[in-house]
Amino acid sequence: MPIRVLSEEVAAKIAAGEVVERPASVVKELVENSIDAGAREIKVEVRRGGRRLMRVIDDGTGIPAAEVELAFARHATSKIASVEELASIATLGFRGEALASIAAVSQLTIVTRAAEEDVGTLLRLEGGKVTHRQKKGCPQGTVITVENLFYNVPARLKFLRAETTERKHIDGLVYRYGMAYPHLRFSLLNDGRLTFQSLGSGELYDVLIEVYGLEVAQQMIEVRSSETNDLGLVDVHGYISPPSLHRANRSYLTFFVNGRWVKDRMLSYAVSEAYRTLLPTGRHPIVVLRLELDPSQVDINVHPTKSEIRFLDSNAVFAAVQKAVRRTLVDQAPIPRMMGRPSQQPVLDMERWRRLVEVGTQARAVGIEAPSAFEFPESAKLPPLRVLGQVAQTYIIAEGPEGLYLIDQHAAHERVLYERLLAERAKMAVASQSLLEPLTIELPFQPGIAGGESLEFLNHLGFDIEPFGGETYLVRAVPTMLATGDIGQAIAEIVDGLTEGEAVGAGEERALISLVCHSAVRAGKTLSQSEMRDLIRQLEATTMPRTCPHGRPTMIHLSAAQLAREFGRR
Ligand code: ADP
Ligand code: MG
């Protein structure tokens, strides 16, 4: 084919694809425009996860009648005029691309009136072409309605996820802007139902309550740090969770840099470093941090969606954030003391165990005798144990041929249930039990949750859950093992575990572990002799009795020799 210049229409659709990835991208651009326009109140309306309609209503400056068409031209902006200004951008927009891109791939209606004009303008566009224009009386501000996104780009339409998934992305976005701009009033209407509202009080704390609920907000610790370093003044403020409050995935880390919600690995890493040793492995804090620094220190022109940024001196930013968080934690959060001696038993974590088994199995499959280090450690098997009693309603004391065993009842039961669950899953027959009364649960803010997929996974796991409108779900059946556990909490954790965007499978394993963890007998529960005996018998039958699925030991062994030594008999 000879080289030729693409038609304007094709070029526009290609360019639009960079800015508008999914419905949430539209909401993001429109909300950013409203903020740039000095709005005090921003209303977002969404129908069917944004696939049907998205509308953003603001009371900002509005667009003068003479400029409305221009706003939809590519590279048309009122925010910068020269390349130099790129270095010190104070607005969220500057590329002049968003409206053109959105209009190119949707049916769009704008109604806007500038402060200095008496009458507003209504303009309708389809696939970027103006189809209708009229004068219209309306309040000052702008209403943009985007309908049938990607109606003319079937390839993109196909890639949209389930409505619930797209909706969650939009929810997460509006929550984030609510937190970044606590002095603005945001509201979010999903299919006619008000699902989020911020007061515009100017207090981030008030928005935290709306987003995470009062219980979480009350535990959060405020960060306030201003320091002058090589970058000039760097201001870090916001809220972080105490070490006792954590989540199974990293999506509860939210950062704003100069009012812009950004996704930045370095910032996440700085926070993880600050929490180092304070959180259980695999757990993450809830963090909402706002960074303010000289705009010339940040390059925001990295990507059309402007959610990636570059810092001129990322080491200095890293240090500032890490220090601010760490200092706050050390000053304000009680740090749990390490008690006692570390366990003598080397902890064999799941990952390592799986590798060992895999290599061993492979070796055997090709007829090679696996080297002993790769053999499944035979010593891991339990000797027959005799239950003596229970300590602190948490540990079972038992005697075996090699001395005394202290068994963590919760960890031991987790191991038993985990192996049972894996076996049931392998047979596609997870035992399920119907609830007498269906239970309604709320899954509030699950950033990034892939709604549809998570439900499907849960339903394969023995749950029967269906959406009941908005954030409410109806639970009709649960895996039998969970029947007496905290069902709502377990589901929230499982969904959390699933949504971490790591290697395939890791999320599912975490989800299985959460299920088991919520089903297992709690520490603090009195067990009868026969219950303890049952548990020990079941533990003896597992392939990995010595560690729970999290990799912690299920038991501590005091050998007869150790006892003799401690008592000075030898
Ligand atoms: P950018 O935000 O990068 O300038 P956009 O395509 O998003 O580009 O918007 C183009 C122009 O339209 C903006 O520069 C602004 O002047 C105007 N505009 C867009 N949305 C609004 C709004 N809600 N209120 C007032 N003006 C707006
Ligand atoms: Mg814009």
Side-chain angles (χ1 to χ4, degrees):
M1 233 175 27
I3 300 176
R4 62 192 145 188
V5 177
L6 291 174
S7 76
E8 208 177 299
E9 193 195 331
V10 176
K13 280 187 187 170
I14 293 176
E18 293 191 344
V19 180
V20 189
E21 192 198 335
R22 59 182 348 150
S25 336
V26 171
V27 176
K28 173 178 187 288
E29 294 297 338
L30 297 182
V31 165
E32 289 190 352
N33 279 345
S34 298
I35 295 171
D36 284 344
R40 311 281 316 170
E41 173 155 26
I42 299 173
K43 297 183 192 157
V44 181
E45 269 179 54
V46 174
R47 284 203 212 132
R48 309 221 0 224
R51 299 182 62 150
R52 169 69 196 88
L53 175 148
M54 290 165 279
R55 176 176 292 140
V56 174
I57 305 170
D58 71 48
D59 57 357
T61 54
I63 306 177
E67 293 177 14
V68 180
E69 275 90 348
L70 196 54
F72 290 89
R74 197 158 293 281
H75 313 302
T77 179
S78 58
K79 298 170 194 176
I80 56 168
S82 69
V83 179
E84 293 74 53
E85 286 174 63
L86 266 181
S88 55
I89 291 166
T91 49
L92 294 169
F94 58 87
R95 300 175 60 104
E97 275 182 339
L99 289 188
S101 297
I102 296 167
V105 293
S106 69
Q107 294 160 336
L108 186 149
T109 310
I110 180 170
V111 177
T112 183
R113 181 168 74 78
E116 56 285 0
E117 296 182 334
D118 303 326
V119 61
T121 309
L122 180 152
L123 195 69
R124 190 165 293 149
L125 298 95
E126 282 198 27
K129 304 258 178 335
V130 176
T131 58
H132 182 77
R133 181 189 219 280
Q134 69 176 74
K135 286 189 178 162
K136 189 169 168 66
C138 60
Q140 184 202 319
T142 303
V143 180
I144 294 185
T145 308
V146 175
E147 291 175 273
N148 304 322
L149 183 67
F150 297 140
Y151 79 101
N152 55 351
V153 198
R156 266 298 162 102
L157 195 59
K158 218 171 54 198
F159 278 97
L160 287 187
R161 302 289 208 84
E163 270 173 35
T164 46
T165 308
E166 298 299 346
R167 208 201 87 198
K168 292 280 175 190
H169 280 276
I170 296 175
D171 290 354
L173 189 103
V174 178
Y175 297 153
R176 255 80 178 225
Y177 277 94
M179 295 193 280
Y181 294 89
H183 57 284
L184 304 186
R185 277 190 295 154
F186 283 89
S187 60
L188 174 60
L189 227 58
N190 268 308
D191 293 312
R193 192 166 149 256
L194 183 69
T195 54
F196 171 74
Q197 192 164 31
S198 67
L199 305 171
S201 68
E203 297 295 332
L204 172 57
Y205 184 77
D206 290 334
V207 191
L208 283 186
I209 297 176
E210 297 299 329
V211 173
Y212 292 117
L214 183 62
E215 202 187 315
V216 165
Q218 277 176 332
Q219 297 176 60
M220 300 286 277
I221 311 170
E222 190 172 10
V223 177
R224 260 180 201 283
S225 156
S226 269
E227 66 170 84
T228 311
N229 59 16
D230 301 347
L231 303 176
L233 185 69
V234 180
D235 205 87
V236 181
H237 54 277
Y239 285 85
I240 59 175
S241 57
S244 53
L245 176 64
H246 38 74
R247 290 287 184 263
N249 78 55
R250 217 171 262 123
S251 50
Y252 290 84
L253 301 179
T254 301
F255 300 100
F256 306 105
V257 174
N258 293 344
R260 190 184 298 278
W261 174 34
V262 298
K263 295 175 188 159
D264 188 90
R265 281 170 167 276
M266 183 275 286
L267 292 176
S268 303
Y269 185 52
V271 167
S272 309
E273 281 297 294
Y275 275 88
R276 206 184 180 75
T277 73
L278 299 179
L279 295 179
T281 44
R283 305 293 295 184
H284 306 278
I286 303 175
V287 164
V288 181
L289 280 184
R290 300 159 64 183
L291 270 73
E292 307 287 339
L293 64 169
D294 188 332
S296 66
Q297 291 293 328
V298 195
D299 183 0
I300 48 181
N301 192 22
V302 178
H303 190 265
T305 61
K306 300 164 288 175
S307 58
E308 276 172 51
I309 51 168
R310 264 188 218 121
F311 294 104
L312 213 52
D313 184 350
S314 55
N315 288 342
V317 178
F318 178 94
V321 171
Q322 198 252 7
K323 230 161 66 190
V325 173
R326 185 73 188 185
R327 203 185 300 129
T328 309
L329 285 170
V330 169
D331 288 354
Q332 312 218 15
I335 295 176
R337 267 183 309 144
M338 278 287 285
M339 304 274 283
R341 279 184 288 168
S343 122
Q344 309 285 317
Q345 193 80 45
V347 174
L348 194 61
D349 62 87
M350 278 306 288
E351 221 12 75
R352 196 170 120 73
W353 176 65
R354 198 175 304 123
R355 268 200 311 276
L356 289 177
V357 173
E358 213 166 87
V359 174
T361 319
Q362 280 166 6
R364 270 191 297 277
V366 292
I368 306 171
E369 202 46 51
S372 61
F374 292 134
E375 276 292 345
F376 180 72
E378 201 43 53
S379 69
K381 281 267 179 262
L382 275 192
L385 299 179
R386 184 169 71 89
V387 171
L388 300 176
Q390 194 186 21
V391 183
Q393 293 162 307
T394 301
Y395 309 104
I396 299 169
I397 314 182
E399 184 201 20
E402 273 125 43
L404 183 74
Y405 292 79
L406 268 175
I407 296 140
D408 181 312
Q409 65 194 40
H410 175 69
H413 198 203
E414 276 186 337
R415 163 54 61 190
V416 168
L417 293 178
Y418 186 64
E419 294 198 3
R420 184 187 301 165
L421 184 61
L422 290 187
E424 288 179 350
R425 242 168 79 86
K427 284 187 285 183
M428 310 273 270
V430 179
S432 174
Q433 182 173 328
S434 298
L435 301 178
L436 285 177
E437 293 260 320
L439 178 77
T440 49
I441 54 164
E442 297 267 319
L443 288 178
F445 185 35
Q446 304 285 343
I449 166 187
E453 290 93 281
S454 301
L455 268 197
E456 204 175 302
F457 178 81
L458 283 164
N459 289 344
H460 278 132
L461 212 57
F463 287 94
D464 179 356
I465 303 178
E466 57 189 57
F468 196 57
E471 294 168 344
T472 312
Y473 294 82
L474 211 58
V475 185
R476 297 188 185 281
V478 299
T480 307
M481 65 173 67
L482 183 65
T484 54
D486 182 344
I487 295 168
Q489 182 67 25
I491 293 173
E493 290 247 338
I494 292 169
V495 170
D496 248 8
L498 284 177
T499 51
E500 181 123 7
E502 292 172 357
V504 191
E508 295 197 356
E509 180 178 304
R510 246 195 319 274
L512 298 184
I513 294 177
S514 303
L515 169 59
V516 159
C517 181
H518 280 279
S519 307
V521 60
R522 308 261 120 218
K525 180 166 189 294
T526 309
L527 298 181
S528 69
Q529 282 286 330
S530 70
E531 285 173 323
M532 288 190 277
R533 270 199 304 273
D534 278 353
L535 179 54
I536 301 296
R537 292 293 91 85
Q538 292 170 3
L539 186 64
E540 285 168 5
T542 61
T543 51
M544 281 291 295
R546 288 180 189 263
T547 53
C548 78
H550 300 97
R552 288 194 300 272
T554 53
M555 62 180 62
I556 292 173
H557 175 206
L558 270 173
S559 69
Q562 250 173 307
L563 285 171
R565 208 171 30 247
E566 296 287 334
F567 282 107
R569 289 181 161 273
R570 279 200 201 148

